[in-house]
Amino acid sequence: MQCDYFDAGTCRSCTEMGVPYLVQVARKEEHLRHQLSAFPGVEWLPSFSAAESGFRNKAKMVVSGDSVSPTLGILDADGLGVDLRACGLCSPGLTAAFPVLADFISSAGLTPYDVPRRQGELKYIILTESPDGEFMLRFVLRSTLQLARLRDTLPRLQAALPTAVVISANIHPEHKATLEGEEEIILTAQESLPMRLDALTLHLRTRSFFQTNTAVARELYRQGTVWVDEVSPASLWDLYCGVGGFALHAARPDREVTGIEVSAEAVASARLSAEEAGLTRTDFVTADATTFVRDAGSVPDLVIVNPPRRGLGAELAGLLQNSGVRHVLYSSCNAVSLAKDLARMPGLSPVKVRLMDMFPQSHHYETMVLLERRDA
């Protein structure tokens, strides 16, 4: 992939830009094998990769400049806006929407936030595209000062971008390097974005997590489902389940499935998907994963874990190690923390591993590991 922004030194976010894509994947495979070198006898499945460009379904764009000529992209070292509307990582749908949004910001008179001066209102736009080409659009504002103006001009935006089916305003009053605040105001009748993956539709609400690479997410859930069906558990937990991707795909009429997620909004989304799919033996619980496992009186046949980059940590890994669970399916976005967690669970041996290249042009990747208890 060639990038004018990278070549000009305007943006260096993609650490592997310019490296041939097959070389990128080979480097990731080498890194993963090194991290898991303490676990011999593993079956290594072929790595999965999709497009090396145009794969991102979500864009988090800093809004800067002024209302006449806003920039959408990142900030430079001085806190000034760098426009990245033609970023090659973004899907064609996202790229086509950026000029429409820039024009709307100007016509609506929304004032971009000036970081050095701490003035202005509009900090970010967060745009997510569904597999069907619909959008969730979130305006991150410093306050509610321009909220009335945003509401008044909403029909104009919906006419210009009719595929934006969910639009909201997030209120983020603090001056710090975080993306969003606690208050979310939905401006449309529709509150969730349908994410159709094969025969299953997941529902994404404004503050719920979804993988940024739809093609790889689809394969991630397919592979997880294959491994779950191979061991055929009668019951399973999906820890850190998010909007229920793994749990819902692995659900069967004769299988008890419970998803555990700390975000109540994500749990509401997962429950809606389960109801639409008629999955009467699938439920979702709002709870901290470690607390849930620690307080549970018994364990299922299989546990799926998809933790954040920090991994499971010593306590949760120890609870799984001592639980007697027969199989664990671990989806990891950080091979270093993955290796640490596997070492904390010596009774659960990795039997299958697959690399999923979720993040081309970077050194990041996703790893799937199937663990089997060998200490019985």
Side-chain angles (χ1 to χ4, degrees):
M1 174 182 170
Q2 184 273 333
C3 175
D4 291 341
Y5 298 126
F6 186 88
D7 293 344
T10 303
C11 176
R12 293 285 176 162
S13 300
C14 294
T15 56
E16 297 295 289
M17 186 63 68
V19 178
Y21 185 53
L22 292 179
V23 176
Q24 292 183 35
V25 176
R27 287 179 177 176
K28 294 177 184 184
E29 290 172 343
E30 181 181 5
H31 181 263
L32 179 57
R33 286 180 179 270
H34 174 72
Q35 295 300 319
L36 301 188
S37 60
F39 307 98
V42 173
E43 178 185 353
W44 289 84
L45 279 69
S47 298
F48 180 83
S49 57
E52 64 174 291
S53 63
F55 59 85
R56 284 193 66 94
N57 59 30
K58 185 174 185 177
K60 308 170 186 177
M61 308 294 273
V62 178
V63 182
S64 192
D66 54 50
S67 59
V68 176
S69 302
T71 63
L72 307 180
I74 59 174
L75 297 178
D76 65 15
D78 297 320
L80 302 178
V82 177
D83 198 274
L84 298 179
R85 279 184 247 178
C87 174
L89 299 188
C90 294
S91 72
L94 293 177
T95 304
F98 293 147
V100 177
L101 293 174
D103 289 345
F104 171 74
I105 292 168
S106 296
S107 64
L110 300 178
T111 309
Y113 185 63
D114 186 317
V115 172
R117 293 187 175 89
R118 301 192 179 192
Q119 297 176 349
E121 289 297 314
L122 180 56
K123 293 184 173 183
Y124 305 95
I125 56 169
I126 306 172
L127 188 65
T128 304
E129 184 180 19
S130 78
D132 294 322
E134 293 182 325
F135 293 109
M136 175 189 292
L137 171 61
R138 303 171 66 203
F139 293 91
V140 181
L141 303 172
R142 185 179 66 154
S143 71
T144 58
L145 187 63
Q146 290 193 319
L147 184 59
R149 180 176 297 177
L150 182 56
R151 287 186 187 276
D152 290 343
T153 53
L154 196 63
R156 188 190 311 166
L157 173 60
Q158 292 172 308
L161 193 64
T163 47
V165 296
V166 181
I167 303 174
S168 72
N170 178 273
I171 310 304
H172 184 15
E174 296 179 280
H175 180 83
K176 60 181 183 181
T178 54
L179 188 63
E180 59 189 44
E182 293 297 320
E183 184 180 3
E184 192 87 21
I185 302 168
I186 307 298
L187 302 175
T188 50
Q190 187 169 324
E191 297 186 359
S192 65
L193 182 67
M195 305 294 284
R196 186 172 52 84
L197 301 177
D198 297 328
L200 186 67
T201 297
L202 305 179
H203 288 273
L204 187 63
R205 292 175 184 261
T206 54
R207 303 185 67 188
S208 300
F209 169 79
F210 189 81
Q211 302 285 1
T212 59
N213 189 323
T214 302
V216 180
R218 183 180 283 112
E219 184 64 19
L220 194 75
Y221 298 138
R222 286 173 178 168
Q223 183 64 78
T225 301
V226 168
W227 284 354
V228 170
D229 285 344
E230 284 178 354
V231 301
S232 191
S235 58
L236 70 81
W237 292 341
D238 181 3
L239 307 181
Y240 309 97
C241 70
V243 296
F246 281 112
L248 292 164
H249 281 85
R252 297 292 180 267
D254 59 348
R255 183 176 293 158
E256 290 285 347
V257 175
T258 304
I260 298 91
E261 168 59 46
V262 72
S263 167
E265 189 171 72
V267 167
S269 299
R271 286 176 174 168
L272 176 59
S273 297
E275 181 181 353
E276 286 185 348
L279 301 172
T280 58
R281 300 188 68 188
T282 299
D283 193 18
F284 295 89
V285 178
T286 303
D288 171 75
T290 302
T291 303
F292 180 89
V293 176
R294 185 176 60 233
D295 296 344
S298 59
V299 295
D301 300 327
L302 183 145
V303 174
I304 300 171
V305 295
N306 185 21
R309 288 191 60 79
R310 65 178 181 272
L312 301 177
E315 184 178 2
L316 181 51
L319 289 169
L320 293 175
Q321 160 66 17
N322 297 323
S323 69
V325 65
R326 300 301 308 167
H327 292 92
V328 172
L329 194 162
Y330 195 137
S331 179
S332 167
C333 60
N334 184 352
V336 175
S337 60
L338 168 64
K340 292 178 180 178
D341 285 338
L342 296 184
R344 293 165 174 149
M345 300 184 290
L348 289 157
S349 300
V351 292
K352 294 183 180 182
V353 177
R354 192 177 189 194
L355 185 150
M356 303 282 193
D357 192 20
M358 187 78 71
F359 314 103
Q361 312 308 329
S362 79
H363 62 275
H364 297 294
Y365 55 89
E366 194 87 8
T367 305
M368 295 191 69
V369 184
L370 179 65
L371 309 173
E372 184 175 88
R373 186 164 295 278
R374 296 286 178 86
D375 61 352

